[in-house]
Amino acid sequence: MPTGTPTPWSYALIRFLFRFVLKIFYGSIVVENVDAIPKNGRPCIVCANHSNSLTDALLLVTSIPTNKRNMLRLTAKATQFGHRTFTSWLIESAGTVPIKRRKDHRDGNADNSEVMEHLMKALELGDAVCLFPEGMSRYHPTIAPLKTGVARLVSDVLSRNRDDPDFEISVLPVSITYMHRQHFRSDVLVTFQSPLMFTPKNNPELLSPVEFTNVRELTAQLHEKIASGTYDSPSWDLIRCAKLAARMYAPLGTMMTLGDHVRISLSFLEVFKSPQDYLPAGSETEVEELRDLQSCLKASHPFVLLFERIIDRSTQAYQDRLAKWGIKDDRIRRPLPRHTILSRLVIRLMWSVCLFAVSLPGQALWVPIFATTFYAVHNFKKTGPIFDTWDEIAQYKLIYGLMSGICVWISAVALTWPFAIVTVFLVPAFMWMTLRWFEDAVASFRAFTALFRLLRVGKPTLKEMHEIRRDLHSRVVELAVGKLNLPEDPEMYFTRAGGREKGRIRGSWDSRARYFSIKRRRKRDWNETLRLYDKVDYPEDE
């Protein structure tokens, strides 16, 4: 039985470095269903959605346990090879295979026959190969139509091994979901779906000569699997509204995992994408009338009016007002008396000042890193439109952060050379604790500003918003329980369901203790990033 290619030292080094960097850049990286990964020596094609350029590949490399696979053979566009840059060295050192794209050639021709031959040999050795079937990385709310390359590769490998009817190749779909892909200390969910298994004996329809219909069917099946675990929407507005509905259904403080949070949001998103499927029976005529009206208004999404009929236009307006004031839905759900707000204002301000003061000495080590990444990203954004550049921002931050961080570490050790044997370990530990203190300080100050805005909004407006929210909440719960079959009491259900996981809180004592955890900050809201405001908006839809 094949054992797979041994792990090259350069690949092991890259995996170690970026496992460390990714855990610093992202607050929590939650990996689900690791048991679904085929073990080493079994041919496997890993396929994922592609919304964050090189970061997607690095996440997959670091998320697959070393006891499962020796290495994950990556693919990347050929234009990233052969440059005297750190990114080019990184890609080539990891054993990445260059893929030629038609759009990168003037004549529109791209011969990848040698590449496919190389990938087939790797699979026959029992390796795992990573492909992004979208064929490109773009900052879009939807998954692009998948290319048929994965299905054709499966067909070619099976056809080459048709004399061995039990030869098995797996296709492992992966769904990657970023809460905010390019923001520091955001969260990521990596979900391995159940693999698709193929053998010459069980899948003769994929043996050459293969009908293109069978290739398309396999590609469609793969698209469905990947899309089932991540956001796939025709517009940013629908994702925004789905996240709001999820937060109203399972409010702030609900003890749920990141995976549960994403799946609830996806449930609402499916409704908003195809609301006609959730209308009462006998509404066909009404649906057609609304379609005609929508066509006349030339709106961006064909079922926006239907969505408004289910949840109402006020959902979006409600979120707009919250974003304008910089407060969370939870502040409307549970109004605070004025004296409570004032007392909490004092506590939050004192605590944030204290934490800022404690973290201040270590900020001298972080300032060069923040300045370098800010300058690099600021210049990179000027090179193109949002949809063509924002998917690479996280990649730029990771690489420039790593390079500048190593320079800071070496400089600090050199300046303390007589004590280098201690500072070589003490400097990174001190930088990590500084980040943790600074993260808590920002969170406290963010809470302070939110409480201050509550005072400015005034009681009459808050009372009005509370009434609006109560009406919206009843509609959301009715939809969640009645149509989506979600638990009637999410706070109780998710407290009891599941086990311990990153970011998961079990009980009030654990909640308080984890707030001061050295490992990571305890989050009540998966929407948080290291910013003084909550990120709830997305780019304008094209």
Side-chain angles (χ1 to χ4, degrees):
M1 183 175 175
T3 57
T5 304
T7 309
W9 71 267
S10 56
Y11 181 89
L13 175 62
I14 289 168
R15 183 170 55 194
F16 170 78
L17 281 176
F18 279 95
R19 179 174 288 140
F20 173 72
V21 174
L22 284 167
K23 286 187 176 182
I24 291 177
F25 186 79
Y26 290 110
S28 294
I29 301 176
V30 178
V31 182
E32 294 185 319
N33 305 330
V34 173
D35 292 340
I37 303 173
K39 290 187 177 181
N40 198 54
R42 301 177 64 179
C44 177
I45 304 175
V46 179
C47 303
N49 54 306
H50 200 22
S51 64
N52 209 6
S53 194
L54 182 60
T55 309
D56 293 330
L58 294 174
L59 264 175
L60 291 176
V61 165
T62 56
S63 296
I64 296 178
T66 54
N67 63 345
K68 283 283 186 177
R69 311 294 312 194
N70 289 343
M71 66 178 294
L72 179 63
R73 193 171 293 278
L74 302 171
T75 55
K77 57 185 179 182
T79 54
Q80 291 185 325
F81 290 74
H83 302 292
R84 294 181 179 179
T85 62
F86 180 74
T87 304
S88 183
W89 172 84
L90 176 70
I91 291 172
E92 294 173 14
S93 299
T96 307
V97 179
I99 298 287
K100 298 177 183 177
R101 304 187 304 176
R102 292 181 181 177
K103 61 178 291 184
D104 297 326
H105 296 78
R106 291 183 179 180
D107 57 4
N109 295 321
D111 184 11
N112 283 305
S113 55
E114 290 186 14
V115 174
M116 298 300 285
E117 178 68 23
H118 188 85
L119 293 178
M120 284 190 284
K121 288 182 178 179
L123 288 168
E124 289 170 344
L125 289 173
D127 286 349
V129 171
C130 178
L131 291 172
F132 295 102
E134 289 178 83
M136 62 178 182
S137 173
R138 287 291 183 271
Y139 193 84
H140 282 311
T142 184
I143 297 175
L146 302 191
K147 310 292 185 183
T148 58
V150 173
R152 287 188 281 112
L153 180 58
V154 170
S155 174
D156 290 344
V157 173
L158 289 179
S159 298
R160 282 170 51 128
N161 294 272
R162 66 198 317 157
D163 294 335
D164 181 4
D166 294 322
F167 176 84
E168 184 179 77
I169 181 171
S170 305
V171 177
L172 180 65
V174 188
S175 304
I176 304 175
T177 307
Y178 298 90
M179 293 298 98
H180 301 288
R181 71 191 83 185
Q182 77 276 25
H183 291 314
F184 193 36
R185 304 302 291 166
S186 180
D187 302 306
V188 191
L189 175 68
V190 180
T191 303
F192 292 99
Q193 310 290 352
S194 56
L196 305 172
M197 308 290 193
F198 303 96
T199 63
K201 179 174 63 178
N202 297 332
N203 304 95
E205 73 281 0
L206 293 177
L207 300 178
S208 62
V210 61
E211 293 185 9
F212 191 68
T213 304
N214 296 324
V215 172
R216 293 299 305 170
E217 286 180 358
L218 174 53
T219 304
Q221 188 179 4
L222 182 60
H223 187 287
E224 183 180 358
K225 281 252 187 184
I226 294 174
S228 67
T230 190
Y231 297 116
D232 182 26
S233 169
S235 72
W236 290 113
D237 276 342
L238 292 187
I239 294 180
R240 184 174 184 254
C241 291
K243 285 188 173 184
L244 172 63
R247 285 196 297 272
M248 296 183 76
Y249 164 71
L252 187 68
T254 300
M255 299 176 187
M256 62 195 313
T257 64
L258 178 58
D260 290 333
H261 169 74
V262 169
R263 282 183 283 276
I264 289 175
S265 300
L266 292 179
S267 298
F268 285 106
L269 181 60
E270 288 305 309
V271 177
F272 300 160
K273 285 165 59 177
S274 303
Q276 72 280 4
D277 297 338
Y278 297 87
L279 288 175
S283 301
E284 291 78 6
T285 304
E286 195 173 15
V287 168
E288 291 301 324
E289 291 175 355
L290 287 169
R291 275 178 176 167
D292 294 339
L293 179 58
Q294 186 69 39
S295 178
C296 293
L297 292 174
K298 297 181 180 180
S300 59
H301 188 258
F303 295 115
V304 169
L305 290 180
L306 288 172
F307 155 67
E308 289 174 354
R309 182 156 184 87
I310 296 175
I311 299 296
D312 198 78
R313 187 191 301 270
S314 54
T315 307
Q316 202 161 352
Y318 176 75
Q319 178 65 84
D320 289 341
R321 295 175 76 177
L322 292 180
K324 179 182 177 182
W325 296 332
I327 61 177
K328 294 182 179 180
D329 169 69
D330 192 64
R331 298 301 185 190
I332 305 298
R333 178 175 75 102
R334 296 187 297 189
L336 297 173
R338 197 173 186 83
H339 68 274
T340 302
I341 295 176
L342 291 172
S343 63
R344 290 189 180 183
L345 273 172
V346 174
I347 294 172
R348 295 297 184 187
L349 181 60
M350 291 177 61
W351 182 231
S352 63
V353 169
C354 177
L355 287 170
F356 276 126
V358 171
S359 65
L360 194 58
Q363 291 302 318
L365 297 172
W366 280 102
V367 166
I369 300 173
F370 292 151
T372 302
T373 54
F374 176 81
Y375 180 76
V377 170
H378 179 71
N379 287 337
F380 176 69
K381 284 182 179 179
K382 298 177 182 179
T383 62
I386 287 176
F387 67 85
D388 202 24
T389 56
W390 280 31
D391 64 310
E392 296 186 40
I393 290 178
Q395 166 189 321
Y396 267 71
K397 289 182 177 179
L398 286 170
I399 292 175
Y400 279 90
L402 173 61
M403 294 172 63
S404 57
I406 291 175
C407 291
V408 168
W409 177 52
I410 293 174
S411 301
V413 172
L415 290 172
T416 57
W417 186 250
F419 311 99
I421 194 170
V422 176
T423 55
V424 71
F425 301 105
L426 188 61
V427 169
F430 183 54
M431 291 179 69
W432 172 250
M433 286 312 303
T434 296
L435 177 62
R436 283 288 299 107
W437 292 326
F438 185 66
E439 195 174 11
D440 283 337
V442 169
S444 294
F445 193 75
R446 184 169 58 232
F448 166 78
T449 56
L451 290 167
F452 183 73
R453 292 189 190 105
L454 278 180
L455 291 178
R456 294 184 60 187
V457 169
K459 285 185 177 180
T461 306
L462 288 176
K463 185 177 181 181
E464 175 196 354
M465 288 290 288
H466 184 71
E467 293 299 321
I468 293 173
R469 189 205 181 274
R470 185 167 60 181
D471 179 54
L472 286 174
H473 179 260
S474 64
R475 298 186 196 185
V476 167
V477 171
E478 181 181 356
L479 177 63
V481 178
K483 300 293 184 181
L484 302 178
N485 298 318
L486 294 175
E488 189 171 350
D489 187 349
E491 294 181 86
M492 182 64 70
Y493 173 82
F494 289 110
T495 298
R496 295 176 176 175
R500 290 183 177 272
E501 190 177 294
K502 290 180 180 178
R504 184 177 176 82
I505 310 302
R506 302 287 291 189
S508 58
W509 169 254
D510 194 19
S511 175
R512 294 186 183 94
R514 288 279 290 278
Y515 188 89
F516 303 102
S517 170
I518 295 176
K519 291 184 179 180
R520 65 186 57 83
R521 188 174 174 276
R522 185 272 292 161
K523 291 186 177 182
R524 300 174 66 208
D525 185 359
W526 290 109
N527 197 51
E528 289 183 13
T529 63
L530 188 58
R531 286 173 172 253
L532 292 174
Y533 59 90
D534 289 315
K535 184 70 179 175
V536 295
D537 292 318
Y538 294 91
E540 292 292 330
D541 290 316
E542 297 177 20

